[in-house]
Amino acid sequence: MTSTDTDLSRRTFLSLLGLSSASLLAGCASSGTGDAIRQQATAIGSDFRQMFSSGVSDAELAVMYGSVEDSGYVIPAVPYQKIDRRYYRQRVVDPTGERPGTVVVDTRSRFLYVVEPGGSAMRYGVGIGREGFAWSGEGVIQWRQKWPKWTPPDEMVARQPELTKYSAKNGGMPPGLKNPLGARALYIFQNGKDTLYRLHGSPEWNSIGKAVSSGCVRLMNQDIIDLYDRVPQKARVVVWQ
């Protein structure tokens, strides 16, 4: 297939996808879950998905997940070869049906999407912790922070007394490479109130794609930096359980 044929096929498919997504949303808006949309995403032809997701070379991955200096911190390279390829940052056909600029977290599939104009989305692999399954619905990114301080909630401190030195009364853990929130944090609010649900970086690259012991929604530090630069404050967030 020539590049011209590929472009025409992609445009045709995205037009059909837009119509299909609109009808799907109209039919299941009251369900409150992502199940129906997940089923539609599964049904999308693999040829069209591969137009977006199959062309990332090892050389590009080495740059994407290489060591990077940021705000005076040197973030180590990620051994991306040890991570399932589907969790690499990649542009895909949008499976969500949401409007551009929306962030969608599919906790069950361990994916986070940023919806783009034209029917595509940037997809990231994520890790989910106990707190990651504690909230679903819609909210907004009310606050964003580079190299945030981490303050474990009192409930976590009660379970893990060794964290007392990082409690709110002790000022939290300062930013750094070992900080559980990593290089960036996006704070989700609903109806003006903090949900305590975070999208954040993590030095623990081997937790991506997994359900881990604690935390909200974690990305590799290289990915949370990319996400932070794509998503504006007050962006709409939808979380599927």
Side-chain angles (χ1 to χ4, degrees), residues 27 39 44 48 82 86-87 104 120 123 127 156 173 228:
Q39 292 170 7
I44 294 173
F48 291 105
K82 298 181 180 180
R86 62 182 160 172
Y87 296 123
V104 178
S120 64
R123 189 181 77 188
M156 182 179 289
M173 177 187 280
Y228 185 96

Side-chain angles (χ1 to χ4, degrees), residues 84-162:
D84 191 317
R85 293 186 68 88
R86 62 182 160 172
Y87 296 123
Y88 297 160
R89 183 197 326 159
Q90 55 192 282
R91 181 163 281 110
V92 298
V93 172
D94 171 38
T96 72
E98 297 290 348
R99 63 179 178 266
T102 303
V103 177
V104 178
V105 181
D106 185 346
T107 61
R108 198 179 306 173
S109 297
R110 315 286 195 261
F111 290 136
L112 181 152
Y113 300 91
V114 179
V115 181
E116 300 174 327
S120 64
M122 186 62 71
R123 189 181 77 188
Y124 306 81
V126 300
I128 304 294
R130 280 193 298 262
E131 288 80 0
F133 288 107
W135 186 82
S136 64
E138 297 187 19
V140 297
I141 294 175
Q142 189 73 24
W143 189 43
R144 299 148 28 99
Q145 185 69 40
K146 294 183 178 181
W147 293 100
K149 179 171 65 176
W150 178 59
T151 306
D154 292 340
E155 295 80 3
M156 182 179 289
V157 173
R159 294 195 305 265
Q160 301 174 258
E162 68 273 15

Side-chain angles (χ1 to χ4, degrees), residues 57-69:
S57 68
D58 283 345
E60 291 171 309
L61 289 168
V63 173
M64 286 169 56
Y65 293 116
S67 177
V68 60
E69 183 174 355

